[in-house]
Amino acid sequence: TEPHGLSLREWRTTQIIRVTAIVTLTVLAIIGILQFLFEIRTILLWVLIGVILAIALQPAAGWLERHRWNRIVAALLVSFGAIAGLVGIVVAVAYPVVFQADDFIRELPSILDKLFGTGGQLNFLETRFHILERVARVTPEQVADVVVGNQETIVGVLSRAASMVAGVITILTIMVMMLIEGPRAWAAVLDAMIDEEREWGERVGQNFLRATGGYVRGNLAISLVAGIASYIVLRILGVPYAETLAVLVAVLDIIPLVGATIGAVIVTLVGFATGGLVDGVVLVVFFVVYQQFENNVLQNIVYSKTVALSPLVVFLAALAGAALLGIVGVLLAIPLASAGWVLAGD
């Protein structure tokens, strides 16, 4: 046979060349796309954070829209309300935290000496590990190198700060735009589906919003409760630096699995050092009781409408997020794992 006037051997050679060219171009295109995505990875991270924040705020905007508010007005109102609330919280705690943090850092050597020095509650650790001696070797210059970097100049620090500000503005802009355009875009995707495909898309979309948004809102609410409860106990005991320590507990509580424990250990050590044995024991009891309440009651209430992930899945997702993106990856890993669990399960 001679397809298209060619001999069989010529036809096979042509096909081999054609397939080889297609495969080569496809591989090159994939490599190019991956390289492009790698180059804009910071922007993609900003977009991802903005989308997750928009998903977390979607129920509030949807509630206003169902009560006859215009979608754009509802989205802007919810966005600016969330931003104003965040700014208000930062301003309310920034002043005492900044000054307390400065005093706390200055007093840190004295606190460590009370804990690990002669007669301190943790002196047995000093005799074995020589903690005070190791801390004494750390110079202010070394601390500055860790914070700023060995070879960075003031210009580099300002550049990093400017990049952070640009990132925050970009994330907030994406959040507002997603709140406004997100439902319309999703409706367009659903319109391209028919029958069972559309039902599947609607179901997965609803479960995705429930799992991801519910986790973000719930995690922030639980962290806020942890910070407020810690602040109340610290104020009752008269432990100094209450605002700073409470903010530290709230921030660390956002980190899954280990964050709450790290915050409890730090605050308890400060309680032992500044208030003595009684304050330290009271803080130990408080954090043990509170974490049991948070794990067994508060989380069940807050996460009742989200996807229940096993501790192993949460731990592995957090490890993967930390390896890829550090602390930001840890915070993003759980909502993304929840979304992936919904999609895989469906």
Side-chain angles (χ1 to χ4, degrees):
T1 58
E2 297 183 358
H4 306 290
L6 300 175
S7 66
L8 185 59
R9 179 177 298 177
E10 292 175 338
W11 180 78
R12 286 178 176 176
T13 302
T14 303
Q15 290 297 101
I16 292 174
I17 295 174
R18 180 174 177 272
V19 171
T20 302
I22 292 174
V23 171
T24 302
L25 292 175
T26 302
V27 171
L28 291 176
I30 293 174
I31 293 174
I33 293 173
L34 292 177
Q35 179 66 28
F36 174 74
L37 294 177
F38 180 79
E39 294 294 333
I40 63 169
R41 60 189 182 280
T42 302
I43 298 175
L44 293 178
L45 178 62
W46 293 348
V47 171
L48 179 60
I49 297 174
V51 170
I52 291 178
L53 292 177
I55 290 174
L57 296 177
Q58 165 59 27
W63 184 86
L64 290 176
E65 190 176 15
R66 289 193 298 271
H67 287 74
R68 302 175 183 251
W69 286 70
N70 180 271
R71 177 69 194 185
I72 297 178
V73 176
L76 292 176
L77 183 63
V78 170
S79 300
F80 291 143
I83 295 171
L86 178 62
V87 171
I89 294 174
V90 170
V91 172
V93 302
Y95 182 82
V97 166
V98 168
F99 285 94
Q100 284 192 4
D102 182 65
D103 294 338
F104 178 70
I105 293 173
R106 294 177 184 275
E107 292 293 326
L108 191 57
S110 176
I111 293 174
L112 292 175
D113 184 65
K114 291 179 181 178
L115 278 174
F116 300 102
T118 304
Q121 291 87 351
L122 302 179
N123 181 253
F124 66 95
L125 294 176
E126 169 63 20
T127 58
R128 184 171 182 178
F129 299 106
H130 308 290
I131 295 175
L132 292 177
E133 181 182 346
R134 296 174 186 272
V135 173
R137 296 174 184 170
V138 180
T139 64
E141 291 76 14
Q142 291 174 326
V143 176
D145 287 342
V146 172
V147 176
V148 179
N150 289 326
Q151 300 177 349
E152 287 192 14
T153 62
I154 298 299
V155 175
V157 176
L158 293 177
S159 176
R160 181 180 298 177
S163 177
M164 184 178 298
V165 171
V168 171
I169 295 175
T170 302
I171 290 170
L172 295 178
T173 302
I174 293 172
M175 179 188 74
V176 175
M177 295 178 65
M178 285 299 301
L179 275 176
I180 295 175
E181 298 293 337
R184 187 183 306 171
W186 180 243
V189 172
L190 293 178
D191 288 340
M193 302 179 180
I194 59 173
D195 300 333
E196 294 181 358
E197 288 183 354
R198 185 181 180 92
E199 294 178 1
W200 175 83
E202 291 176 347
R203 182 175 66 252
V204 170
Q206 291 173 357
N207 291 335
F208 180 85
L209 291 176
R210 175 176 58 86
T212 306
Y215 177 83
V216 174
R217 293 188 299 271
N219 205 14
L220 293 177
I222 291 175
S223 299
L224 181 63
V225 172
I228 293 174
S230 301
Y231 175 74
I232 293 173
V233 174
L234 291 170
R235 292 291 292 180
I236 292 175
L237 295 175
V239 177
Y241 321 114
E243 287 85 356
T244 300
L245 295 174
V247 171
L248 179 66
V249 170
V251 171
L252 289 175
D253 197 72
I254 298 177
I255 302 175
L257 298 178
V258 299
T261 302
I262 295 174
V265 170
I266 294 174
V267 174
T268 301
L269 290 176
V270 175
F272 272 115
T274 59
L277 181 62
V278 175
D279 286 359
V281 171
V282 171
L283 286 172
V284 169
V285 174
F286 161 72
F287 280 114
V288 169
V289 173
Y290 174 77
Q291 289 189 16
Q292 292 300 315
F293 168 74
E294 179 181 298
N295 295 335
N296 298 297
V297 178
L298 198 57
Q299 287 186 358
N300 290 336
I301 295 174
V302 173
Y303 295 151
S304 60
K305 295 183 179 180
T306 64
V307 175
L309 297 177
S310 69
L312 178 60
V313 174
V314 172
F315 182 67
L316 294 178
L319 287 179
L324 292 174
L325 297 171
I327 186 64
V328 176
V330 173
L331 300 180
L332 292 178
I334 311 305
L336 292 179
S338 299
W341 195 269
V342 166
L343 184 61
D346 195 279

